[in-house]
Every structure is written in structure tokens, then in C-alpha cells.
């Protein structure tokens, strides 16, 4: 059964934080932020840029671009972050209402920065299994930059966290931009290495917790996590892409473009090199930072705008999420 991408949408806030500003807040030289961490600026939320709301704006763009009547949507999957307008809330139902998808039903999914790629697999599998699901909207927002404490060097690898929204519309029987196979790896040995310590049932929010800045992202054992992650992360990045290609009936040499999350430049270059790809066969998000699970949608749009993605190209999407999860899927574009 053919399932294709009808359209995508991205919302980027108008407010940006520069490498110079982050340097002043963190004490890290601006040159290191721009060259080693790999970004010159990143979008940050303005007063109205709430998490679900950014997803709504991205979804509205996707609906307009795809000329899709919201009443034709059968399912809405919210792929934004848990950090949103309200702590306990099903954002997908709000998104459904705001875009006018009155005939759909909705739910939220979570896998940190792997959510979008993982949700594409979930959506495809559901569409294949259920004859009543023909058109699916996946949308959500991200602003986990709110949890970054620039005075905490343990979290410096997350200083690139940014804000924005993204959306994808899938349709059964759509001949273009066919969604092929996916592959996912999760490793629970990292499950409690990174977290916002205060605010849950184990450590409720309190004045003391706020004073200790426990309401920000933190790394419990930075050196231990680094040593364990270095042994597995690149290997798993490569593995999920290769397996998704293999399951789609292709090999490494068939890949034409890789939509990859923002990470340090050396890691980005390593992945491209492994697949024999040039800089022109991906898009390094140096002016956007890491917008979580939105990165792959943004890279797709930038790849199309720049002409790096052409009809017939085999496009890979790859993500990684704290926890840790590695996800990849393959699209035959055009």
C-alpha cells in the first residue's frame, strides 16, 4: 500500500539568540559555539510562541500547501514536546480543534527528539492496518530551550536547543513522496542520564528545588554518560539508517539526501562521510540550532528550497532522542 507525504509545514519564531549572547551567558568562547557546537544563532520563543500553538501554525501551513480540507483528516498525531501550554493536557485534541479537523480523532506521542520520525512509522502502520484512516496530520511544537541553564556546563551539549513547530500530512494512495521503511533503536541504559529533576512525582516542584535550579535540564553523570554514549551513538546512527535503507530495498550508495538533526559539526560530517554524501546532500542547521523533532521537517523544506532534493531522490530522515532513541525512515521523493 502506497502512503505518501502530501505536504509539510514549518513555523520558526521571529526571535533569535546569537552565539555571542550564549557566549556571554555561558563563558564559552563564541568561536567554539560557532565552529565546534556548530551554530551562529537559534530561534527562541516570543511571547505568543507556545509549544502546541507553534504546531498549529505549522499545521495550517501544511494544510494550505497541500490544498487539504481539514474535514478530510482522519487522525491527528501530536508530535510536539511534553513541555507545553499546560503540564497535564492532550495537545493533539487542541490542535485538531484549531485546524478544523472535526472528523478526526487525536492523540499525543513522545520520544523526545525522535518523536517525528517515530510517529511517521506509527502513522504508516496505523494507516496500513485501519481502512478508516486515509489522511493523517502529524504536528507539534518544541521549546525545550526553556530548560537550558547556561551556567551549568554539564548540559553544554544541549546549548543548541531552540524553538519552532513542524507538520507533515500523509495520505493513503498518494503516489508522490512515498514513505518507505523505518528502523528504530532504543537503549534504556541511558534512560535516567538526562532529565529535568524537579517537577515530577519523585521530586515535586518546590521553592527549594527552584532555588537549586533543579527545574532545568541536567545530566546526572556527565562523564559516565559520555563514555557510554560515545561507544554506541555513532554506531546506532549509522545502523538505523542502514537498516531503514535495507528494509526499503536499497543500499547505502542509493541515498541521495539525508535530513539529519542538528548536532556538532564533526558528528554531522562523520555520518555524511560514512554514506559517501557531500555537504550538498544534506543541510547543516547552523542558523537554526536543534529544534528537537522538528529538525527533519525543516531539513526537508530547506533541501527542497535549495534544490538539493530532486524528484526521484531517495531521502533518509534520521533522529536521536534523549533516553536514548535512534530513528530513521526512508522516503522516495517525487
Amino acid at each position: 500500500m502506497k502512503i505518501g507525504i502530501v505536504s509539510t509545514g514549518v513555523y520558526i519564531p521571529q526571535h533569535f539568540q546569537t552565539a555571542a549572547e550564549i557566549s556571554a551567558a555561558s563563558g564559552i568562547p563564541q568561536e567554539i559555539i560557532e565552529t565546534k557546537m556548530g551554530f551562529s544563532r537559534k530561534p527562541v520563543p516570543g511571547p505568543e510562541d507556545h509549544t502546541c500553538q507553534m504546531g498549529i501554525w505549522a499545521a495550517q501551513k501544511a494544510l494550505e500547501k497541500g490544498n487539504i480540507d481539514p474535514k478530510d483528516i482522519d487522525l491527528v498525531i501530536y508530535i510536539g514536546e511534553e513541555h507545553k501550554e499546560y503540564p497535564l493536557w492532550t495537545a493533539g485534541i487542541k490542535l485538531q480543534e484549531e485546524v478544523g479537523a472535526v472528523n478526526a480523532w487525536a492523540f499525543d506521542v513522545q520520544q523526545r527528539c525522535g518523536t517525528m520520525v517515530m510517529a511517521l512509522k506509527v502513522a504508516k502502520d496505523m494507516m496500513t492496518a485501519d481502512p478508516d484512516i486515509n489522511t493523517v496530520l502529524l504536528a507539534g511544537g518544541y521549546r525545550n530551550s526553556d530548560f537550558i541553564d547556561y551556567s551549568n556546563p554539564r548540559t553544554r551539549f544541549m546549548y543548541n536547543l531552540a524553538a519552532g513547530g513542524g507538520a507533515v500530512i500523509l495520505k493513503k494512495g498518494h503516489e508522490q513522496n512515498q514513505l518507505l521503511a523505518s528502523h528504530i533503536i532504543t537503549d534504556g541504559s541511558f534512560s535516567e542520564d538526562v532529565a529535568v529533576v524537579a517537577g515530577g512525582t519523585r521530586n515535586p516542584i518546590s521553592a527549594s528545588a527552584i532555588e537549586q535550579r533543579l527545574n532545568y535540564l541536567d545530566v546526572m553523570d556527565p562523564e559516565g554518560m559520555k563514555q557510554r554514549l560515545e561507544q554506541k551513538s555513532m554506531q546506532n546512527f549509522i545502523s538505523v539508517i542502514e537498516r531503514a535503507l535495507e528494509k526499503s530495498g536499497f543500499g547505502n550508495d542509493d541515498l541521495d539526501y539525508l535530513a539529519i538533526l542538528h548536532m556538532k559539526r564533526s558528528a554531522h560530517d562523520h555520518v555524511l562521510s560514512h554514506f559517501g554524501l557531500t555537504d550538498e546532500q544534506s543541510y547543516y542547521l547552523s542558523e537554526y540550532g536543534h529544534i528537537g523533532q522538528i529538525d527533519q521537517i525543516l531539513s526537508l523544506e530547506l533541501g527542497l528550497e535549495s534544490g538539493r532534493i530532486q524528484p526521484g531522490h531517495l531521502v533518509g530522515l534520521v533522529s536521536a532522542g534523549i533516553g536514548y532513541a535512534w530513528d530513521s525512515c526512508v522516503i522516495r521523493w517525487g
Side-chain angles (χ1 to χ4, degrees), residues 104-211:
W105 59 280
F107 66 95
D108 298 3
V109 293
Q110 281 301 323
Q111 202 197 45
R112 301 286 70 77
C113 301
T115 306
M116 167 55 76
V117 181
M118 178 271 291
L120 286 170
K121 173 176 171 51
V122 171
K124 183 184 177 184
D125 290 350
M126 291 183 69
M127 295 170 83
T128 302
D130 190 336
D132 290 335
I133 301 177
N134 296 295
T135 305
V136 178
L137 167 65
L138 303 90
Y142 183 94
R143 53 176 287 173
N144 282 6
S145 54
D146 293 349
F147 290 112
I148 295 301
D149 177 1
Y150 293 111
S151 68
N152 182 358
R154 294 186 297 275
T155 61
R156 61 185 294 172
F157 71 96
M158 294 185 282
Y159 287 179
N160 63 342
L161 296 192
V168 175
I169 297 175
L170 299 177
K171 190 173 181 63
K172 192 182 294 182
H174 191 68
E175 296 285 337
Q176 295 183 321
N177 316 324
Q178 290 180 36
L179 183 59
L180 304 179
S182 304
H183 193 71
I184 299 172
I185 296 172
T186 58
D187 187 336
S189 67
F190 299 97
S191 64
E192 292 185 296
D193 279 319
V194 182
V196 177
V197 177
T201 59
R202 292 185 67 174
N203 191 359
I205 200 70
S206 65
S208 174
I210 293 172
E211 288 174 8

Side-chain angles (χ1 to χ4, degrees), residues 260-325:
I260 188 170
L261 73 160
H262 181 272
M263 52 187 178
K264 64 181 182 179
R265 184 79 209 207
S266 60
H268 175 93
D269 290 344
H270 175 78
V271 176
L272 292 190
S273 175
H274 179 86
F275 289 94
L277 299 175
T278 68
D279 285 344
E280 294 300 306
Q281 291 175 285
S282 186
Y283 209 104
Y284 192 63
L285 304 173
S286 59
E287 294 190 349
Y288 299 93
H290 179 33
I291 315 178
Q293 51 266 50
I294 310 305
D295 284 5
Q296 292 75 28
I297 312 171
L298 176 59
S299 182
L300 269 180
E301 292 207 350
L302 292 171
L304 288 164
E305 288 172 10
S306 62
R308 298 181 187 189
I309 299 175
Q310 293 292 329
H313 274 181
L314 198 68
V315 178
L317 276 60
V318 63
S319 63
I322 293 294
Y324 244 88

Side-chain angles (χ1 to χ4, degrees), residues 19-53:
E21 291 170 327
I22 294 171
S23 174
S26 66
I28 297 173
Q30 180 178 343
E31 181 183 3
I32 297 297
I33 295 170
E34 292 179 343
T35 58
K36 192 169 183 178
M37 294 184 178
F39 65 102
S40 58
R41 65 174 192 168
K42 64 178 187 177
V44 292
E48 303 303 320
D49 294 324
H50 302 293
T51 313
C52 182
Q53 182 60 59

